[in-house]
Amino acid sequence: MKLLYFDCFSGISGDMILGALIDSGLPLDRLQHELAKLPVTGFSVSAEKAVKNGITGTKVTVHTDDQKAHRHLKQIMGIIEASSLSNSVKQTSIRVFETLAGAEAKIHDTTADKIHFHEVGALDAIVDIVGAIAAMELLGIDQVWSSAVHVGTGFVDCQHGRLPLPAPATVEILKGTPVYSTGLDAELVTPTGAAILKTMSAGFGPFPPMTLESVGYGAGSRDLPIPNLLRVLIGTSADDYEMDQVDLIEANIDNMPPEQFEYVVDKLMSSGALDAYLTPIIMKKSRPAITLSVIARPQDAPRLLDVVFAETTTLGVRLQKLERRKLKREVRTVVTKYGDVRVKLSWLSGRIRDITPEYDDCRRLAEEKSVPLREVFREAARVARGEWG
């Protein structure tokens, strides 16, 4: 599996990501070819070598004719969806913009669809985001990891006037992400860079185990006391498993009516938990009790912790950070004689290991068509195996 690690010792921005990926070995013309698939004109991308504190990197500049253009999320999504880019690049790029819109909506107390993007709605930001996602696909990256993020301090002038650093949108996006500051008076992290990082990264911390193949440095515009560079390290992991990081929240509960646990688990799952489960235990004084366990994405853990304290009788919880290893998985849709069914495919050693029809889809079709549930399962699995093996 091919891994990419963002080393954010001097922050991160969209143009620095592009510069680092080109510096790591991606030909500029291949990136330009992908960006030409966007149904917009009036932009070009150039790259040149730049030296920052004695380290040579690549500075990418996006030249556009519409620096003042403002767009709504739906307009940006329309541009991306109308392109001839791969579905993966389209979907991931849209997720980045949804992250940006969600942060702006939170700050301005409105909804994402009403956000009128300023700086990040301009064409150069669209090129930065789509270009970064397309570049990682061109490089064959399977998974992204990141260091803790160095953020600056001070103030920045923008469309809304003078704002503190990190900018409010950047701070909102970086919730759940490890950050630090050395007091450097500069904007080290832009909302665009933060959104790409947050959307793409499977986890944050030290280098994941890999055989290092290439290194690239993406240069920022300013000269700083430290090298104004984003470093990317690209390599191959020793195994074929996907990796990520999760938080485990656990509480031992011995004084709550048992019928309430069903509601708690349902509430946790609907609030974003990856899993929530119950384990019977025996506590001190031989008291029967239940351990409530919640597996959460790091960014979702604070919200789920609130649910645990609000909906259970526990007075405290245990928190652990865990690394996971997973088989590569993908959800696809098959067309059966009963209707469309989503199926989950998993891979092991480069080959499909399991094909599992989605229960909710099969149940819905079984009820609609008045056929046995197991027949819908069999039909969906048969069609899927015929298409993908």
Side-chain angles (χ1 to χ4, degrees):
M1 183 168 60
K2 201 165 187 179
L3 304 179
L4 182 148
Y5 183 80
F6 284 117
D7 188 7
C8 307
F9 61 80
S10 189
I12 189 168
S13 65
D15 61 326
M16 292 170 77
I17 294 173
L18 290 179
L21 296 174
I22 289 173
D23 201 62
S24 71
L26 177 67
L28 176 61
D29 60 352
R30 291 190 66 194
L31 176 62
Q32 291 170 329
H33 180 265
E34 288 300 298
L35 289 170
K37 296 177 181 179
L38 286 166
V40 290
T41 58
F43 75 89
S44 62
V45 179
S46 64
E48 60 184 359
K49 291 297 181 181
V51 179
K52 300 293 182 180
N53 297 44
I55 302 175
T56 301
T58 296
K59 177 70 178 77
V60 164
T61 304
V62 179
H63 311 272
T64 72
D65 298 333
D66 78 336
Q67 291 290 340
K68 302 296 184 181
H70 304 160
R71 294 178 176 87
H72 289 281
L73 178 61
K74 286 186 178 179
Q75 292 174 289
I76 296 170
M77 291 173 64
I79 290 171
I80 295 171
E81 289 171 343
S83 74
S84 56
L85 293 159
S86 72
N87 285 333
S88 176
V89 171
K90 289 181 184 180
Q91 293 168 7
T92 307
S93 299
I94 287 172
R95 283 170 50 210
V96 174
F97 274 104
E98 288 174 338
T99 298
L100 282 164
E104 293 282 356
K106 180 71 177 295
I107 293 165
H108 300 296
D109 193 24
T110 184
T111 57
D113 60 309
K114 293 181 181 178
I115 287 296
H116 200 101
F117 285 113
H118 299 294
E119 285 85 352
V120 295
L123 187 53
D124 57 344
I126 296 173
V127 172
D128 278 347
I129 290 170
V130 174
I133 306 306
M136 283 185 259
E137 180 174 86
L138 289 171
L139 288 168
I141 304 303
D142 295 306
Q143 195 170 63
V144 175
W145 287 72
S146 175
S147 68
V149 183
H150 186 188
V151 298
T153 187
F155 293 86
V156 64
D157 294 318
C158 67
Q159 192 77 21
H160 297 289
R162 176 157 287 197
L163 297 178
L165 292 174
T170 301
V171 172
E172 185 65 29
I173 292 166
L174 290 177
K175 282 182 177 178
T177 301
V179 300
Y180 68 97
S181 176
T182 60
L184 195 61
D185 188 3
E187 184 179 22
L188 300 183
V189 183
T190 65
T192 298
I196 295 172
L197 188 72
K198 188 67 173 288
T199 302
M200 296 298 296
S201 294
F204 295 84
F207 295 162
M210 71 167 91
T211 300
L212 189 60
E213 297 175 351
S214 62
V215 179
Y217 293 87
S221 300
R222 299 176 62 181
D223 292 325
L224 301 173
I226 62 174
N228 189 13
L229 298 163
L230 170 69
R231 179 163 59 183
V232 299
L233 299 98
I234 298 174
T236 305
S237 68
D239 55 44
D240 194 36
Y241 305 131
E242 293 185 346
M243 301 179 290
D244 68 358
Q245 293 175 326
V246 294
D247 287 354
L248 175 63
I249 304 169
E250 286 192 327
N252 294 348
I253 303 171
D254 65 355
N255 59 347
M256 190 169 116
E259 64 270 16
Q260 294 182 13
F261 280 103
E262 178 186 7
Y263 176 83
V264 172
V265 170
D266 289 345
K267 183 70 176 289
L268 287 164
M269 296 301 296
S270 65
S271 298
L274 295 172
D275 200 1
Y277 53 95
L278 308 172
T279 306
I281 61 171
I282 301 296
M283 293 177 58
K284 62 184 180 182
K285 300 180 180 179
S286 298
R287 292 176 185 167
I290 293 291
T291 295
L292 170 65
S293 302
V294 185
I295 299 176
R297 300 177 187 87
Q299 62 268 30
D300 296 332
R303 179 174 67 254
L304 294 168
L305 192 59
D306 290 342
V307 174
V308 171
F309 280 120
E311 300 292 350
T312 75
T313 57
T314 189
L315 300 178
V317 302
R318 300 179 297 279
L319 302 175
Q320 298 181 62
K321 292 193 175 294
L322 305 175
E323 287 190 0
R324 298 194 301 177
R325 298 293 184 271
K326 306 179 294 182
L327 294 181
K328 180 181 178 182
R329 293 170 291 178
E330 184 179 349
V331 176
R332 298 180 183 176
T333 299
V334 294
V335 180
T336 76
K337 62 184 178 182
Y338 301 116
D340 292 354
V341 177
R342 290 169 296 170
V343 295
K344 183 182 293 181
L345 281 67
S346 62
W347 280 263
L348 180 63
S349 300
R351 308 177 75 175
I352 292 178
R353 191 195 72 167
D354 287 319
I355 296 176
T356 307
E358 188 69 35
Y359 169 77
D360 288 341
D361 290 355
C362 292
R363 175 175 175 169
R364 173 178 52 80
L365 291 174
E367 292 173 344
E368 289 177 0
K369 306 298 182 181
S370 298
V371 296
L373 176 62
R374 61 181 180 175
E375 174 58 29
V376 181
F377 264 96
R378 279 199 296 259
E379 174 68 7
R382 183 190 66 80
V383 174
R385 288 194 183 95
E387 291 195 30
W388 303 301

